[in-house]
Amino acid sequence: NAGVTQTPKFRILKIGQSMTLQCTQDMNHNYMYWYRQDPGMGLKLIYYSVGAGITDKGEVPNGYNVSRSTTEDFPLRLELAAPSQTSVYFCASSLTSGSFEQYFGPGTRLTVT
Amino acid sequence: QKEVEQDPGPLSVPEGAIVSLNCTYSNSAFQYFMWYRQYSRKGPELLMYTYSSGNKEDGRFTAQVDKSSKYISLFIRDSQPSDSATYLCAMRTQGGSEKLVFGKGTKLTVNP
């Protein structure tokens, strides 16, 4: 049982490039989330999903896209990367909407230069 | 006014000290209150949660909620170097919302 896994661990992008951050969970959780964490700024919700085929915007969705074709996978797409997207990205999952325990992945450190 | 306020610290204490970490909030609809612990370069993990007001104890950790003051606390007794981490408070309303609202986190260092 690996929990929530994220790839890559680190990435450097040039301005205007695109990339996909991968997230997979093996706990059969319905709910999945993408956060970004900037130094001293806490966690900001980017997008979330309540099940396969259903996604919704969080607090800071601009510049990102998501899809949820399976229960296990919830990739985050960055189009036209900008320096403001330099951050640590965390994927998380939870069993139900009533669950306050979210299980986090190890994070992806992204630098856009 | 931000929904959740948390002093980012950093906080440095000697081993064995009692540590007090706090958050204030503005949304009176919050009913669930959580503390997550995040070690350096790792994802957060749930440490404790409480529902509505009151105290909850788990070993060396005690979580307190004062809804009348919109103030929550986490106390760590007999602090250990292994407690060195960033502690994030998080809150959510009851029912209907999948979203947690996080504080900025307080970085704690316990010195041996």
Side-chain angles (χ1 to χ4, degrees):
Chain A
N1 190 336
V4 179
T5 57
Q6 292 182 240
T7 57
K9 286 187 170 54
F10 306 93
R11 184 73 185 267
I12 298 174
L13 278 183
K14 293 190 186 304
I15 294 171
Q17 287 185 322
S18 300
M19 76 165 294
T20 299
L21 283 66
Q22 301 292 346
C23 175
T24 299
Q25 54 92 7
D26 62 0
M27 297 174 283
N28 203 30
H29 285 172
N30 291 321
Y31 291 78
M32 296 187 74
Y33 314 82
W34 274 106
Y35 294 92
R36 60 177 287 172
Q37 186 176 40
D38 301 319
M41 295 302 293
L43 291 161
K44 302 286 188 188
L45 183 65
I46 305 170
Y47 271 96
Y48 67 99
S49 170
V50 303
I54 306 169
T55 62
D56 206 350
K57 296 177 181 178
E59 186 180 357
V60 289
N62 292 342
Y64 307 95
N65 277 300
V66 294
S67 59
R68 183 99 181 267
S69 56
T70 67
T71 299
E72 295 78 19
D73 300 306
F74 190 40
L76 178 72
R77 178 81 177 163
L78 278 72
E79 304 282 1
L80 299 174
S84 60
Q85 293 178 304
T86 294
S87 190
V88 182
Y89 291 85
F90 288 101
C91 179
S93 71
S94 64
L95 184 58
T96 67
S97 66
S99 173
F100 34 76
E101 180 160 17
Q102 294 186 7
Y103 295 82
F104 285 80
T108 294
R109 290 182 175 272
L110 176 67
T111 301
V112 182
T113 61
Chain B
Q1 184 183 11
K2 292 190 188 301
E3 267 195 304
V4 178
E5 301 265 16
Q6 182 176 12
D7 186 341
L11 185 62
S12 182
V13 301
E15 183 174 353
I18 296 174
V19 176
S20 173
L21 304 167
N22 312 294
C23 289
T24 58
Y25 63 95
S26 58
N27 187 348
S28 57
F30 286 141
Q31 293 280 0
Y32 292 96
F33 304 91
M34 291 133 273
W35 288 95
Y36 279 78
R37 178 174 60 194
Q38 184 178 20
Y39 290 114
S40 182
R41 298 187 173 259
K42 301 287 187 185
E45 56 182 353
L46 182 67
L47 185 62
M48 293 185 70
Y49 71 91
T50 52
Y51 172 70
S52 195
S53 285
N55 294 0
K56 186 171 184 177
E57 189 173 319
D58 184 1
R60 297 184 294 109
F61 298 88
T62 300
Q64 285 187 352
V65 175
D66 182 349
K67 292 195 72 183
S68 62
S69 301
K70 296 189 178 71
Y71 188 88
I72 71 169
S73 301
L74 177 70
F75 296 96
I76 307 174
R77 292 184 300 280
D78 187 25
S79 56
Q80 302 295 310
S82 58
D83 295 327
S84 298
T86 296
Y87 291 80
L88 301 108
C89 62
M91 309 176 188
R92 58 162 286 178
T93 57
Q94 182 171 9
S97 173
E98 298 77 20
K99 304 168 201 173
L100 298 181
V101 180
F102 285 86
K104 292 182 178 181
T106 301
K107 185 173 183 178
L108 170 68
T109 301
V110 181
N111 301 299

